[in-house]
Amino acid sequence: MKRILVIEGGGIKGIAALEVLRKIEAEPLPDQYGTIKRQRISGLFDLVVGTSTGGLIAWALSVPQRDDIGTPANSAAKILEVYKTQASEIFKASWFRRRWTPRMFVPKYSAKGLKRAAEKVVGDTMIDKALCRVMTPAWNLTDAREEMFKSWKKPHPKKGEEFQMIDAALATSAAPTFFPAHTISKRQYVDGGLFANDPSPSAIAEARVMWPDEPLAVLVLDIGGGAPKMEVKKGGIFDWLKKAPTLLMGSGQSYARYLGEAMMTPKDSYFRVLCHSHGVEMDSSDPEEIETLCRLGKEAAKKNWPMIKEVLSHGL
């Protein structure tokens, strides 16, 4: 049985997912030889798939140490600390960008803070150096199609063309209206959440191709919660401007849950850990709300621990 980890998009809500992952890494679990010990995520799962903030986390968890390429450079706890300390820099808007009129023409934030935070956990590591198979989606604006960045396959296999984890991470995290599009080799990319904020169907489909005869154990860290309840007063362009990005990503996320569950066979296992917090905005850097996300993640890990252990027991 192959084990798959799926981490949804949700901006700063990735903190809740990291609390669950920190719990997994802190608990002694049996390895493939039956030895009980603490293990990193890259050693526990055969495939890690994430969108937006989940994609950044996925790449960060798979980075090898420079002097020991078989050992992960980052623990979930380390990445969590980067999120907590860098949130105010990632979501830092100048007075000019905070005004409504400029936001009609430019994103709410520059990508500088996000890039600096990403560099702290992925550095200049190439995507093919990932310790486990990692896949993250992004939308290719230039070619008008979805793009799956895979650690085992180059998106555009041109001679001499190489890709870094930071490019894949920034491409999947470039949320429209929040961050500018990310450019790689003259191609523009935006957040994979536009079509796969919950990438579980993509993860399952990819796993079926790689391991057609293997049953799957899928663990989804659900931090987005789908589309929040909302009301449209008049339905004009300005009424929809602030609601559209959230609605587009959230509604697709709800449908992805249905598809993911429908793609399972009797031999497979599918588990979803809910870490919802509709009260916290995806670009919040408020210390109290960050602590709320930490608490929600810890509570989700504790509540779902028997289920999580069951997933991790498969494939031994």
Side-chain angles (χ1 to χ4, degrees):
M1 178 170 276
K2 297 297 181 180
R3 292 181 289 201
I4 302 171
L5 173 64
V6 177
I7 312 170
E8 292 185 350
I12 198 63
K13 297 180 184 181
I15 284 176
L18 283 164
E19 283 286 6
V20 176
L21 295 171
R22 185 187 63 78
K23 167 72 172 176
I24 292 173
E25 291 190 336
E27 291 291 326
L29 296 163
D31 64 12
Q32 59 182 324
Y33 304 108
T35 304
I36 305 297
K37 63 179 183 180
R38 293 186 179 88
Q39 300 174 71
R40 296 288 178 84
I41 297 301
S42 60
L44 288 168
F45 292 91
D46 300 287
L47 174 64
V48 180
V49 181
T51 297
S52 196
T53 192
L56 172 56
I57 292 170
W59 289 114
L61 290 167
S62 70
V63 175
Q65 292 184 7
R66 289 187 178 276
D67 56 351
D68 184 358
I69 59 173
T71 302
N74 302 311
S75 64
K78 176 184 174 181
I79 302 167
L80 173 61
E81 192 61 27
V82 170
Y83 265 64
K84 292 168 67 175
T85 59
Q86 296 298 306
S88 60
E89 293 299 315
I90 295 171
F91 302 114
K92 183 177 182 179
S94 65
W95 175 85
F96 176 77
R97 287 179 180 268
R98 284 198 301 268
R99 296 187 62 186
W100 177 246
T101 301
R103 284 200 63 201
M104 295 287 290
F105 305 99
V106 297
K108 187 175 182 180
Y109 308 105
S110 76
K112 292 179 180 178
L114 177 61
K115 184 177 181 180
R116 283 194 293 267
E119 286 174 338
K120 289 180 180 293
V121 289
V122 300
D124 59 357
T125 310
M126 309 307 294
I127 63 173
D128 61 356
K129 301 301 182 184
L131 292 173
C132 63
R133 295 198 174 205
V134 176
M135 182 174 78
T136 58
W139 182 258
N140 183 331
L141 289 173
T142 306
D143 299 328
R145 66 182 180 86
E146 78 286 348
E147 194 87 78
M148 292 294 180
F149 287 85
K150 305 173 185 178
S151 60
W152 65 97
K153 184 179 179 181
K154 296 179 181 179
H156 301 286
K158 292 183 179 180
K159 186 176 181 180
E161 191 172 39
E162 300 292 340
F163 292 89
Q164 295 182 340
M165 289 185 182
I166 194 164
D167 283 319
L170 293 177
T172 193
S173 302
T177 76
F178 288 94
F179 295 107
H182 184 64
T183 302
I184 310 172
S185 300
K186 298 182 180 180
R187 297 180 181 88
Q188 284 191 316
Y189 296 90
V190 290
D191 198 327
L194 288 175
F195 66 96
N197 205 46
D198 176 354
S200 52
S202 301
I204 294 165
E206 196 68 35
R208 297 278 188 228
V209 172
M210 291 189 291
W211 307 296
D213 300 321
E214 290 275 1
L216 308 176
V218 183
L219 177 65
V220 182
L221 300 186
D222 185 335
I223 61 173
K229 295 179 181 179
M230 60 178 63
E231 180 181 354
V232 176
K233 294 180 179 179
K234 294 184 179 180
I237 292 176
F238 285 97
D239 203 12
W240 280 108
L241 278 177
K242 292 184 70 176
K243 298 180 175 69
T246 302
L247 181 61
L248 285 170
M249 292 187 185
S251 58
Q253 192 171 355
S254 297
Y255 184 55
R257 292 193 195 110
Y258 162 74
L259 286 178
E261 294 172 5
M263 293 170 73
M264 293 289 95
T265 71
K267 293 182 180 180
D268 300 320
S269 299
Y270 183 92
F271 301 98
R272 183 174 288 273
V273 177
L274 304 180
C275 310
H276 293 179
S277 178
H278 285 315
V280 179
E281 296 294 332
M282 63 174 285
D283 60 339
S284 174
S285 59
D286 180 85
E288 290 187 7
E289 293 190 338
I290 286 176
E291 286 307 310
T292 295
L293 292 172
C294 290
R295 175 178 56 80
L296 289 170
K298 291 174 183 176
E299 291 175 355
K302 182 178 180 180
K303 178 181 178 181
N304 295 280
W305 187 243
M307 182 177 72
I308 294 171
K309 283 189 71 175
E310 184 175 342
V311 173
L312 297 175
S313 69
H314 292 306
L316 296 178

